[in-house]
Amino acid sequence: MFWPMYGGFYTAALFLCGLVAVPAGQAGRRRGKKLGGRDRGLALPALLNGWLFMLGALVLVLAWAGLVAGLGVLVDSAN
């Protein structure tokens, strides 16, 4: 019961954090390039984490959709 109530909020928060981290990481990499490579390596983990957060949110949404579809098939075949 926890997932339908709060799981969507956490998944949305995960996606939004990734959505903010990707452009911020990209801007950090661009700025580091202008500064001669200084702190450019620190922006790379932000960029990678942003993509991983968005991928994780997508996996969670697909898992939830698969669970709902599977339960729908089970309920339909029981009748």
Side-chain angles (χ1 to χ4, degrees), residues 27-76:
R29 299 268 299 166
R30 201 173 302 122
R31 182 171 177 249
K33 189 175 183 179
K34 287 181 183 177
L35 294 174
R38 198 176 112 221
D39 294 335
R40 192 167 185 216
L42 292 175
L44 184 61
L47 189 61
L48 293 176
N49 280 333
W51 284 113
L52 286 175
F53 286 171
M54 290 196 303
L55 179 67
L58 177 66
V59 167
L60 285 172
V61 167
L62 290 176
W64 177 249
L67 177 69
V68 169
L71 289 175
V73 168
L74 284 175
V75 168
D76 190 42

Side-chain angles (χ1 to χ4, degrees), residues 2-16:
F2 179 74
W3 172 255
M5 289 171 48
Y6 299 110
F9 296 127
Y10 296 135
T11 304
L14 187 67
F15 183 77
L16 289 176

